[in-house]
Amino acid sequence: MKLTGSDIFIECLRKEKVEVLFGYPGGVVIPIFDKLYDAKDIRFVLTRHEQGAAHAADGYARATGKTGVCLATSGPGATNLVTGIATAYMDSIPMVAFTGQVPMSLIGTDAFQEADITGITRPITKHNFLISDTSKMVDIISEAFYIASTGRPGPVLVDLPKDVSTGMIDFEWPEKPSIPKGYKVVKYADPSVIKNAADAIKASKKPYIYTGGGIIISGAGKELVTFAERINAPVTTTLMGLGGFPGSHPLWVGMPGMHGTYTANMAFTDCDLVIAIGARFDDRVTGKIEGFAPNAKIIHIDTDPAAIAKNVKVDIAVVGDAKAILEQLLEVVKKRDRNGWNDYIDEMKTSHPVTYDKKSGTIKPQYVVEQIYEATKGDAIITTEVGQNQMWASLFYTYDKPRRFISSGGLGTMGYGFPAAIGAQMGKPDAIVFDIAGDGSIQMNIQEMATAVEQKLPVNIAILNNKFLGMVRQWQELFYGKRYSSTNIELQPDFVKLAEAYGAHGIRVDKPENVRSAIEEAISIKGPVILDFIVDREENVWPMVAPGAALSEVMEGLF
Amino acid sequence: MRHIISVIVENKFGVLARVSGLFSSRGYNIDSLTVGETNDPEVSRMTIVVKGDDSILDQVMKQLNKLVDVIEVVDLPREQSVRRELCLIKVNCNSGTRTEILEIANVFRAKTIHIGHTSLIIQITGTEEKINGFINLMEPFKILEVARTGVAAMQRESKEQ
């Protein structure tokens, strides 16, 4: 059968069961868009900026566990994907990004809309490909999806020169999909390693379980609960791991790190064993390395060998899939009874709750998040932007299930939350989706309002509007003598009118008593809604561990 | 501490950039890097000399292993491997110094591959130490140019044997 590269591209998407594709057309990808025009089984979502397409594919992947897919043209289309690809890379999100490229014969000539996108994205992709010949398309695309979704997932970029997508070849499906030669994924660990870990757990009087996004990626939530209950160890989940262990479980102590709970941070300082599962000891979690878990042995379970012993010294390294390793551990680990350690942790949780000033009479951002939690019964998909809004969304909403909290953890990308919410809503059409946003971040990808309206997505944006770039302002207040350099953004659009200009709904809320009813009204509206909550301008995120300080130096707000 | 790492890679477009990019983006220093096809034209071998303590070496090896185009990574300990480098040296000479230079070259089993009126090109092969020693002895004659290949290395016994 004679097919063009673009026909084969569409067939490859079908083979990979791609239901949704986010993207933006341009010169060299017109042949592909011409085929998409007829491919009614693949829903194409036209974003209004390529960055929005990358974040939407990422949000779709995080909400569903499937691989997100985006498509952009060469040159500026491709470079506009870069922030989205880097965001997915830092958080290990399965994504395949397709970019158009100038014809092979023009590569390297500084042709119109040419950019060396495989060169540019090399450090921010798990792998990337330039397809140099139409005959290689099937193998490369199947390898791209395989690499993106297995092991420690990540974005893979595939660059498609125009002559490759227009080239015509005799086409036949290969007998089996191509798998790259040097690519290895380890699932189970050697039993001797498991025994070492089990012995360390048995010997521990103060064990502490520290989990990250790996639990969610491998779907190990059930095994984690069984394991934690078996050894009666307190559990902390990182920002990426929220929902990987139920937030309402009595063993959960909250999130660790710079804006982690008092208990989660002190537990690191006091424990004698850290059992890290699918977490990478990020600097925002560990604080000053010298003060991190000073009395503890560390067991580190991770699918990526390079994540182990990268930031901290590890006593027992266990390479493998979180779920598989937990199954192995559950076969050998014996029950551990509660002891004084558990009482100490429970007492800390009671005496150091995460809280805020509830008597101010103004709208507190934390109150808005709590009310979203109550109105959605804790079952919404929450995406966040980056900054104070992100921290309040993680501290004041309880996540009992995985894939409910979607946030740019590693890269910290402002402008992520709204397009990610669009992607999440596409993947989970029946879910209630809220983007908890700041007035700064939301303006970074506000153009996607048109996408949300066009796709009739009931995405809700809750702007915690303090007319500041709040997190930077908080640092300036605490560490730079209140010199608010370039963080006052009082000049801003009327977000209600802005929503209306796009054909969406806008609701402004400036009194605490109207918060809940506005949230409920937004949920009841079928299309996108912007909720503009006018909150306390100089509210800070507490608790906080100052940059460069040890976790034991956690500061709490005074209420 | 210096380590020599042998990296077997798929002979694909961009693989050298992936490997060298990994070193630069993570702040590891490369002393030398050689690359060439093996007996299998689809596979190349890179020999990388890198400086760093054991934890850096450990990270370098793990990060290299993570690259999709990398098939195998081996740290070659000094006592279990052979290491060789080739070097071309162009050195200034005249009728008075030529014989002395050739005699030294002879002792080092270096080859003279070009003789001109005012200069000689000498090819020397061996360990880095031997080459450094030879270069040192050539200094007084005025070295005009040096081209070193970087180290190529191999394990004495293959795993298969």
Side-chain angles (χ1 to χ4, degrees):
Chain A
M1 186 172 34
K2 283 234 180 244
L3 288 181
T4 66
S6 301
D7 288 312
I8 298 168
F9 174 79
I10 303 286
E11 287 309 314
C12 288
L13 294 186
R14 289 198 173 107
K15 189 119 185 160
E16 300 296 337
K17 302 189 172 60
V18 175
E19 297 156 346
V20 193
L21 186 60
F22 303 89
Y24 205 97
V28 296
V29 285
I30 295 174
I32 291 173
F33 277 82
D34 191 56
K35 300 298 175 187
L36 279 169
Y37 196 64
D38 297 323
K40 302 292 178 214
D41 52 330
I42 299 170
R43 186 161 173 191
F44 184 82
V45 176
L46 174 70
T47 56
R48 294 312 193 259
H49 188 296
E50 289 89 351
Q51 186 185 351
H55 290 325
D58 171 313
Y60 172 87
R62 293 189 207 220
T64 62
K66 299 174 194 169
T67 300
V69 187
C70 56
L71 167 64
T73 192
S74 63
T79 56
N80 276 346
L81 291 178
V82 166
T83 300
I85 293 170
T87 302
Y89 181 70
M90 289 291 270
D91 290 345
S92 308
I93 303 305
M95 180 198 286
V96 176
F98 292 101
T99 47
Q101 182 56 278
V102 300
M104 285 299 290
S105 57
L106 288 183
I107 287 180
T109 65
D110 299 329
F112 177 65
Q113 291 194 330
E114 181 187 359
D116 172 16
I117 198 63
T118 50
I120 289 168
T121 58
R122 204 172 285 130
I124 55 160
T125 50
K126 188 171 172 189
H127 194 56
N128 62 24
F129 297 93
L130 169 74
I131 305 186
S132 58
D133 192 295
T134 311
S135 65
K136 294 179 182 160
M137 189 175 265
V138 174
D139 280 353
I140 287 179
I141 291 179
S142 83
E143 284 187 21
F145 277 87
Y146 181 75
I147 292 168
S149 61
T150 53
R152 179 177 181 174
V156 176
L157 181 133
V158 181
D159 205 17
L160 301 157
K162 189 178 179 187
D163 52 336
V164 171
S165 59
T166 52
M168 191 170 287
I169 57 162
D170 262 325
F171 176 74
E172 242 182 298
W173 281 111
E175 280 175 24
K176 50 182 181 196
S178 173
I179 289 177
K181 220 187 282 181
Y183 184 73
K184 305 163 270 292
V185 174
V186 178
K187 190 169 180 193
Y188 291 99
D190 190 83
S192 66
V193 176
I194 296 292
K195 185 172 179 304
N196 284 348
D199 288 347
I201 293 166
K202 194 176 169 191
S204 164
K205 295 200 164 47
K206 303 176 191 174
Y208 187 32
I209 300 172
Y210 153 55
T211 66
I215 294 289
I216 294 169
I217 292 165
S218 83
K222 222 177 74 191
E223 290 76 9
L224 175 62
V225 171
T226 312
F227 176 70
E229 289 175 351
R230 173 92 56 88
I231 65 167
N232 264 306
V235 178
T236 184
T237 49
T238 65
L239 186 83
M240 290 304 301
L242 289 175
F245 187 82
S248 53
H249 195 289
L251 284 171
W252 194 63
V253 297
M255 185 172 80
M258 183 170 275
H259 291 294
T261 66
Y262 182 86
T263 310
N265 285 334
M266 291 310 289
F268 269 123
T269 309
D270 296 332
C271 69
D272 67 4
L273 177 71
V274 172
I275 307 164
I277 314 173
R280 61 187 181 86
F281 296 88
D282 178 81
D283 59 281
R284 282 292 190 268
V285 166
T286 61
K288 189 171 73 182
I289 286 285
E290 294 76 33
F292 178 74
N295 309 308
K297 270 193 159 185
I298 295 177
I299 300 173
H300 192 178
I301 301 165
D302 206 290
T303 190
D304 177 7
I308 296 175
K310 183 174 65 182
N311 299 341
V312 297
K313 275 197 158 172
V314 166
D315 298 284
I316 301 171
V318 188
V319 177
D321 171 69
K323 183 176 171 140
I325 300 296
L326 278 168
E327 284 168 359
Q328 282 183 289
L329 279 172
L330 283 169
E331 281 174 25
V332 291
V333 169
K334 303 259 181 329
K335 184 164 170 52
R336 178 190 159 276
D337 290 322
R338 279 181 61 94
N339 60 6
W341 168 241
N342 298 82
D343 298 333
Y344 169 71
I345 293 287
D346 289 350
E347 195 274 320
M348 255 195 304
K349 269 171 77 174
T350 317
S351 55
H352 295 273
V354 175
T355 187
Y356 61 95
D357 173 13
K358 296 186 179 179
K359 298 187 210 85
S360 70
T362 54
I363 300 181
K364 289 289 183 181
Q366 301 94 328
Y367 175 73
V368 175
V369 177
E370 279 182 349
Q371 288 302 307
I372 294 173
Y373 172 74
E374 294 196 0
T376 60
K377 300 176 184 66
D379 206 26
I381 293 176
I382 304 293
T383 71
T384 79
E385 305 292 337
V386 167
Q388 290 183 315
N389 60 81
Q390 181 183 34
M391 291 300 114
W392 286 319
S394 61
L395 290 166
F396 292 92
Y397 195 105
T398 305
Y399 301 91
D400 276 332
K401 294 178 190 165
R403 306 198 179 279
R404 296 294 197 279
F405 179 73
I406 294 177
S407 188
S408 169
L411 196 68
T413 309
M414 288 172 71
Y416 168 81
F418 179 36
I422 289 174
Q425 187 81 74
M426 289 297 300
K428 294 279 177 191
D430 299 329
I432 297 174
V433 178
F434 269 86
D435 169 29
I436 295 180
D439 48 304
S441 294
I442 193 62
Q443 294 185 66
M444 284 208 181
N445 271 314
I446 193 68
Q447 76 286 346
E448 300 309 331
M449 280 306 289
T451 312
V453 170
E454 184 172 66
Q455 300 291 334
K456 301 185 174 62
L457 298 175
V459 170
N460 305 293
I461 301 169
I463 302 176
L464 308 176
N465 191 344
N466 54 16
K467 299 187 170 60
F468 269 120
L469 301 175
M471 186 58 93
V472 176
R473 187 212 55 77
Q474 177 171 342
W475 283 47
Q476 288 169 335
E477 178 192 329
L478 298 175
F479 312 118
Y480 293 87
K482 294 199 178 186
R483 287 154 56 84
Y484 294 162
S485 177
S486 299
T487 43
N488 190 336
I489 50 166
E490 277 174 296
L491 180 88
Q492 58 181 213
D494 178 328
F495 287 109
V496 171
K497 282 188 186 159
L498 184 80
E500 287 164 2
Y502 277 107
H505 285 268
I507 305 169
R508 178 162 300 112
V509 187
D510 49 15
K511 291 190 185 65
E513 58 269 28
N514 297 338
V515 168
R516 180 63 175 268
S517 59
I519 291 167
E520 280 171 7
E521 186 189 345
I523 293 170
S524 71
I525 292 170
K526 294 279 180 265
V529 181
I530 290 183
L531 288 155
D532 186 18
F533 294 103
I534 310 303
V535 301
D536 249 10
R537 286 202 75 196
E538 299 196 31
E539 184 67 15
N540 285 335
V541 178
W542 302 111
M544 179 171 192
V545 177
L551 293 184
S552 56
E553 299 165 66
V554 53
M555 305 181 282
E556 296 177 280
L558 303 168
F559 313 113
Chain B
M1 178 146 169
R2 290 174 90 229
H3 294 272
I4 298 193
I5 305 170
S6 173
V7 189
I8 307 295
V9 299
E10 294 206 46
N11 193 2
K12 280 188 179 163
F13 176 81
V15 64
L16 178 60
R18 283 182 211 286
V19 170
S20 59
L22 185 154
F23 279 81
S24 59
S25 69
R26 295 196 179 260
Y28 311 133
N29 277 321
I30 297 178
D31 272 12
S32 77
L33 186 156
T34 68
V35 57
E37 272 185 16
T38 63
N39 51 329
D40 178 351
E42 289 186 5
V43 172
S44 292
R45 179 195 289 270
M46 291 185 186
T47 309
I48 304 171
V49 181
V50 53
K51 250 196 222 112
D53 60 21
D54 286 351
S55 68
I56 290 186
L57 178 76
D58 181 57
Q59 263 299 306
V60 166
M61 305 254 305
K62 285 170 170 175
Q63 295 290 349
L64 284 169
N65 257 313
K66 248 176 105 165
L67 295 177
V68 172
D69 288 339
V70 168
I71 299 167
E72 197 189 358
V73 184
V74 187
D75 174 28
L76 296 175
R78 182 168 288 275
E79 58 281 8
Q80 289 162 33
S81 60
V82 290
R83 300 142 181 240
R84 289 294 180 270
E85 186 177 4
L86 185 143
C87 176
L88 300 177
I89 303 161
K90 188 189 286 170
V91 60
N92 197 39
C93 72
N94 54 44
S95 54
T97 57
R98 189 175 290 127
T99 321
E100 194 183 345
I101 293 171
L102 290 175
E103 273 172 15
I104 296 171
N106 207 22
V107 173
F108 277 79
R109 296 186 198 177
K111 280 183 187 161
T112 310
I113 52 178
H114 174 81
I115 297 187
H117 293 294
T118 58
S119 69
L120 288 168
I121 297 178
I122 300 167
Q123 168 195 313
I124 176 165
T125 319
T127 61
E128 282 176 281
E129 294 79 7
K130 177 181 165 187
I131 292 171
N132 290 341
F134 184 70
I135 291 176
N136 198 20
L137 286 173
M138 289 297 109
E139 293 281 5
F141 302 104
K142 195 174 173 211
I143 294 172
L144 301 171
E145 272 185 272
V146 170
R148 297 178 75 148
T149 58
V151 177
M154 199 172 267
Q155 228 163 341
R156 287 183 196 274
E157 302 283 335
S158 286
K159 276 185 278 179
E160 287 83 354
Q161 284 172 333

